[in-house]
Amino acid sequence: MKDDLIFVGYRSFNSKSGNECNVLDFITKPKASNDNKSMYVNNVSIFTDKEKYNNFISNNKLLSIITVSFEIVGNKVRYYI
């Protein structure tokens, strides 16, 4: 399945165990609440390898809408670049 997400940031850091982590940050498109009185978004963080991370941030501007693949596993959603 696929979903459109809004690219809002990126970060790279070393975990406590010393592994390099590369994270792309997104939000979902705004959705109306059940009572239609407010809107909400969800934060989505996608961990990826350094090559995909560097390629993604060099080819996509912040606040651009990106189509991302995802799957539902139990009660969780997993997004993939």
Side-chain angles (χ1 to χ4, degrees), residues 12-77:
S12 183
F13 59 92
N14 288 325
S15 67
K16 289 181 182 178
S17 61
N19 296 326
E20 184 178 2
C21 298
N22 301 294
V23 183
L24 301 170
D25 292 316
F26 300 86
I27 57 173
T28 59
K29 285 187 172 180
K31 296 177 181 134
S33 63
N34 290 338
D35 61 5
N36 288 324
K37 292 184 179 180
S38 62
M39 302 290 285
Y40 69 93
V41 297
N42 290 317
N43 295 322
V44 176
S45 296
I46 300 176
F47 286 76
T48 187
D49 62 48
K50 187 171 187 139
E51 184 178 329
K52 286 182 184 177
Y53 173 84
N54 289 330
N55 186 38
F56 189 89
I57 61 174
S58 64
N59 292 320
N60 295 284
K61 293 181 179 182
L62 290 174
L63 300 179
S64 59
I65 297 173
I66 309 295
T67 301
V68 178
S69 299
F70 72 94
E71 67 180 2
I72 299 172
V73 180
N75 63 350
K76 296 183 181 186
V77 179

